[in-house]
Amino acid sequence: RASPLPPSRQPPPRLRFSAMCMAATLASLALLPRSTRVPSGPRAASAGASLAAPAIAVEAVSESSVEEAAVFFVEAFWVSTNGGACSGGALRLSRKERRLLEAQMADDFRTRYGCSWRVGSQLRQGEGLLPSRLLLARGDAGEVIGCVGIEAALLDPIARRVLPARSAEARLQTELAALTLHPSEQARWERLSELYVTRQRGLRPLVSELLPACTAAALLTDLAVSPAWRRCGVARHLCGHGERLCSDWGLPGLALKVEEANGAARRLYGGLGYEEVFRRDDEMATRVARLPAVTRADTARTLLRNVPSSVLTLAKRAEERKNERE
């Protein structure tokens, strides 16, 4: 995770030039063609494939369905592809390993998306100020056939990193807290704090004033499709819902991270209009590594391991929606 730069500290000239070039790349997203709305129903297919009627149903995950989402994600993402790895095939997990991984994913989903179904006094301190949502797609029989996560994030051109909602939240809180150290900034702090809490004008003006080098965007993540429903337009349909949420949140565009070696995912996102803005060869990707033995004493352990990888950050402009709200 990138560490916030003190307000008085400026990057060296060479890094500043690089950041300016990256900021120009992000700004150029406004010149890209507007994204086209993904058609709903059986015609939302790719490569000539079609979906059987009725239309795909998409719903937001709640506390009552988060366990179901975790079970699906383990099967469709980790077991089927090992997190998008291009080699090795499907994983063979024992029943205990699978249950452990499902529990870990359910906890992760609750941490990252729980604010979308918790309200009022149920919200934890500092939670829910940056929106997030986990969506499920269901097939004809009501079975889960796909999922995708969307959360507000920051694109940092200096560090060439994407800060997801929790890291972005901490960064904004740090900048706000710094204003309290200067009595002359009291009025500005009160104004920005009010904007921060109410989000009456959205996240963009807050970021532009506190972190002018960064770009507010929606981060698309946790995209997975059932093997039986791949190449049927489910991924495109879910990405379309992500784009509409991005517009509803008042964010100018979407970003996502994909491994350079994952050609299938890159082709999908390229066809949806995403373009490369960052590239890092020192990133880490997550894989499932089997434990020698999983017993009751192993319940605190994790099957997930980080491995070095070249990772691309792709972005696109969001479609503007007028007079429409969630």
Side-chain angles (χ1 to χ4, degrees):
R1 294 180 180 175
S3 301
L5 294 175
S8 61
R9 182 177 176 183
Q10 296 293 329
R14 191 172 184 179
L15 185 57
R16 191 181 310 137
F17 176 76
S18 176
M20 291 172 61
C21 294
M22 194 60 60
T25 301
L26 293 172
S28 70
L29 290 173
L31 303 178
L32 294 177
R34 297 186 187 278
S35 59
T36 56
R37 187 185 298 270
V38 177
S40 59
R43 298 299 180 186
S46 60
S50 61
L51 297 177
I56 299 172
V58 177
E59 65 186 43
V61 171
S62 64
E63 179 59 40
S64 62
S65 58
V66 67
E67 299 281 354
E68 183 183 19
V71 170
F72 168 79
F73 192 79
V74 167
E75 178 62 34
F77 187 77
W78 292 120
V79 174
S80 178
T81 69
N82 197 1
C86 299
S87 60
L91 290 176
R92 293 178 178 269
L93 297 179
S94 69
R95 183 177 180 181
K96 289 183 178 180
E97 287 174 322
R98 188 182 289 265
R99 296 294 177 267
L100 175 60
L101 192 54
E102 289 169 354
Q104 290 170 347
M105 291 310 308
D107 289 342
D108 179 67
F109 287 163
R110 287 190 181 95
T111 298
R112 294 165 52 210
Y113 305 109
C115 62
S116 66
W117 64 73
R118 288 191 290 266
V119 296
S121 60
Q122 295 178 326
L123 287 173
R124 300 164 186 167
Q125 185 176 7
E127 184 182 55
L129 300 178
L130 272 68
S132 63
R133 195 73 52 83
L134 183 61
L135 303 177
L136 289 183
R138 295 188 182 274
D140 300 346
E143 77 281 19
V144 179
I145 61 175
C147 70
V148 69
I150 307 96
E151 57 185 287
L154 294 177
L155 276 65
D156 186 338
I158 296 177
R160 291 174 176 252
R161 291 189 182 279
V162 179
L163 302 180
R166 297 183 70 191
S167 299
E169 182 81 30
R171 183 87 175 261
L172 289 170
Q173 288 181 345
T174 298
E175 295 297 325
L176 277 174
L179 295 179
T180 63
L181 303 177
H182 306 282
S184 61
E185 298 281 9
Q186 181 64 28
R188 182 170 176 242
W189 177 83
E190 292 176 356
R191 177 174 59 83
L192 291 176
S193 295
E194 177 72 14
L195 176 62
Y196 181 73
V197 173
T198 62
R199 290 188 290 125
Q200 292 176 348
R201 294 166 50 206
L203 181 63
R204 293 172 65 183
L206 187 66
V207 172
S208 65
E209 188 158 350
L210 286 175
L211 299 167
C214 293
T215 300
L219 179 63
L220 195 75
T221 184
D222 295 328
L223 178 62
V225 176
S226 170
W229 283 81
R230 289 172 188 166
R231 300 183 182 277
C232 294
V234 178
R236 290 175 176 267
H237 194 75
L238 286 168
C239 288
H241 277 268
E243 292 178 24
R244 292 191 279 278
L245 274 177
C246 174
S247 297
D248 289 339
W249 292 343
L251 299 175
L254 299 93
L256 58 88
K257 298 173 69 174
V258 60
E259 290 187 71
E260 184 179 27
N262 192 340
R266 291 176 61 189
R267 286 190 293 273
L268 167 67
Y269 298 131
L272 292 173
Y274 286 85
E275 294 189 355
E276 179 181 340
V277 291
F278 301 154
R279 173 196 169 97
R280 292 184 63 98
D281 295 322
D282 58 348
E283 279 275 14
M284 303 297 288
T286 306
R287 298 283 186 270
V288 174
R290 297 194 62 184
L291 299 175
V294 178
T295 65
R296 291 184 178 180
D298 294 315
T299 55
R301 299 177 64 181
T302 177
L303 295 171
L304 303 180
R305 301 288 186 271
N306 288 330
V307 298
S309 181
S310 294
V311 175
L312 307 177
T313 297
L314 311 181
K316 70 175 292 185
R317 176 179 175 149
E319 177 184 2
E320 292 184 3
R321 302 176 70 199
K322 296 182 179 180
N323 301 322
E324 287 185 54
R325 286 298 173 210
E326 251 182 299

